[in-house]
Amino acid sequence: MATRHTRIVERALTRLKLRQLRLLVAVGQHGSIQNAAQDLNISQPAATKMIQDLEYDFEVKLFDRTNRGVVPTVFGETLIRHGKLIFGQVSNAAQELDDLNEGNAGRVVVGTLLAASPSLLPLAIERLLKDRPKVAIKIVEGTHEVLMPALLSGEIDMVVGRLPSHRHRENITQEKFFDERVLAVTGTQHALAQKANVTFDELKPYGWILPPVETTLRRQTDQFFIRQGQYVPPTAIESVSYLANRSLLRTHDLIGIMPAHVAALDIQNGLLAEIDWAAPFGAGPVGVSYRGKQSLSPAGSAFLDALHAAAPGVGGITPVS
């Protein structure tokens, strides 16, 4: 006798249509079967029937009706997530075929956080292009809150940077490359730029450039400020743009918090200065997150190998033993 799992898989293989999944995702986005049906140019009765067929085939209730429309159940949210992943894979396949047709040797889409951008990614890209000079590489910059959902939905292949401390770990593989500390940095004109043994009391009068509130580093910074007598900076600029941060530090008496090797080259070239103050927070692992090796194209697997090869060469880090 067929098990429930086998029965559902057989139905999905013989009856499931991409149009049904498109409708499912659209209903989740709109919170309304009527609006989703209009978006896909189908009638509401037909849309309702398609949802009912999905519920029958998967033997679960996908949506709850409310006064404001429909809300996905836990089963609906799960199937929507897998639907998005399927469409992401279809898009990736089409893009990879297009790249091959244009003479490229595959494609890889990499999400990056600030901790990976200045050195790790360029080194890995250099290594990849030596072996695959025609590979197409796309870099997408953002925070975990933006990049991890895109990773899970298949829009990007991997995320390189500081590993999330507790969230975004479900359904992904994480590999740690090295541990890194953070620095307090200023422009070279700052009064504290050349001072030895700076104390936090000496930092208090100045404004700060801080990471976005949704990042682990920002939470750690805020917790440290709270422990310092509920300290509130006189000026606080929230920015994830390194170019903007560098310009602000060089033209204003601000203090910035950033991973050590992000600022290393500018400190070495005399564009920024490291404050002689050991930040008692912010150390953390830098690595790569992806949906498992089976999800990677040959180009993606080659880029993962290039990351492994490049990580020990990144300056100012402690490699993983």
Side-chain angles (χ1 to χ4, degrees):
M1 183 176 179
T3 64
R4 182 173 181 273
H5 174 265
T6 302
R7 185 169 63 248
I8 291 173
V9 170
E10 285 297 322
R11 285 178 186 158
L13 291 175
T14 57
R15 291 162 52 93
L16 183 63
K17 298 178 176 64
L18 289 180
R19 195 180 188 196
Q20 289 176 294
L21 289 181
R22 284 188 66 197
L23 174 65
L24 178 74
V25 172
V27 173
Q29 290 173 338
H30 289 285
S32 164
I33 294 178
Q34 180 180 1
N35 292 341
Q38 290 176 348
D39 192 28
L40 298 181
N41 198 28
I42 59 178
S43 69
Q44 183 172 350
T48 300
K49 179 65 164 56
M50 290 167 69
I51 295 297
Q52 290 172 342
D53 288 344
L54 281 174
E55 290 180 326
Y56 172 79
D57 289 342
F58 285 95
E59 301 182 11
V60 291
K61 186 177 181 180
L62 298 174
F63 294 97
D64 288 323
R65 292 187 177 274
T66 70
N67 293 334
R68 297 185 176 181
V70 294
V71 177
T73 64
V74 63
F75 306 109
E77 289 177 347
T78 300
L79 194 56
I80 287 171
R81 175 167 54 81
H82 283 284
K84 289 180 178 179
L85 187 59
I86 289 171
F87 289 126
Q89 291 298 94
V90 170
S91 176
N92 290 343
Q95 183 64 67
E96 190 168 341
L97 291 175
D98 192 37
D99 290 334
L100 291 171
N101 190 49
E102 293 180 359
N104 296 324
R107 181 181 185 86
V108 58
V109 183
V110 183
T112 176
L113 296 110
L114 186 61
S117 302
S119 48
L120 178 58
L121 273 184
L123 283 172
I125 290 172
E126 181 182 357
R127 287 179 176 271
L128 177 65
L129 292 179
K130 282 183 178 179
D131 296 331
R132 293 171 173 255
K134 293 186 178 181
V135 72
I137 304 170
K138 180 179 179 180
I139 306 297
V140 181
E141 190 173 38
T143 64
H144 278 133
E145 305 305 308
V146 173
L147 297 177
M148 287 303 179
L151 174 65
L152 289 172
S153 67
E155 297 173 56
I156 58 180
D157 297 310
M158 62 188 74
V159 175
V160 183
R162 183 165 295 220
L163 299 176
S165 57
H166 57 284
R167 295 175 298 170
H168 308 297
R169 289 188 173 184
E170 188 179 357
N171 302 314
I172 62 174
T173 298
Q174 292 184 339
E175 296 183 22
K176 172 182 166 182
F177 294 150
F178 52 82
D179 288 304
E180 184 168 53
R181 63 191 180 97
V182 299
L183 305 178
V185 298
T186 64
T188 55
Q189 83 290 344
H190 199 285
L192 299 179
Q194 307 302 325
K195 190 177 187 304
N197 301 316
V198 175
T199 66
F200 185 70
D201 283 339
E202 292 174 295
L203 300 179
K204 286 182 178 180
Y206 299 99
W208 292 68
I209 301 177
L210 300 170
V213 293
E214 65 269 19
T215 63
T216 298
L217 181 54
R218 176 60 180 275
R219 288 191 293 273
Q220 293 172 339
T221 305
D222 287 346
Q223 289 166 4
F224 172 75
F225 285 170
I226 290 171
R227 293 195 299 270
Q228 306 307 308
Q230 303 287 329
Y231 169 71
V232 177
T235 302
I237 299 173
E238 183 179 302
S239 170
V240 74
S241 169
Y242 182 74
L243 291 178
N245 295 351
R246 181 174 65 177
S247 179
L248 286 168
L249 290 169
R250 286 171 53 79
T251 55
H252 297 75
D253 284 339
L254 296 167
I255 299 168
I257 290 289
M258 60 185 66
H261 83 272
V262 170
L265 187 60
D266 280 338
I267 292 173
Q268 179 182 330
N269 291 334
L271 299 176
L272 295 177
E274 176 185 354
I275 294 180
D276 187 16
W277 174 72
F281 60 88
V286 172
V288 61
S289 302
Y290 55 99
R291 297 185 313 277
K293 291 187 177 180
Q294 75 284 348
S295 74
L296 296 176
S297 66
S301 295
F303 191 74
L304 183 62
D305 291 340
L307 285 168
H308 287 147
V314 177
I317 63 172
T318 303
V320 176
S321 59

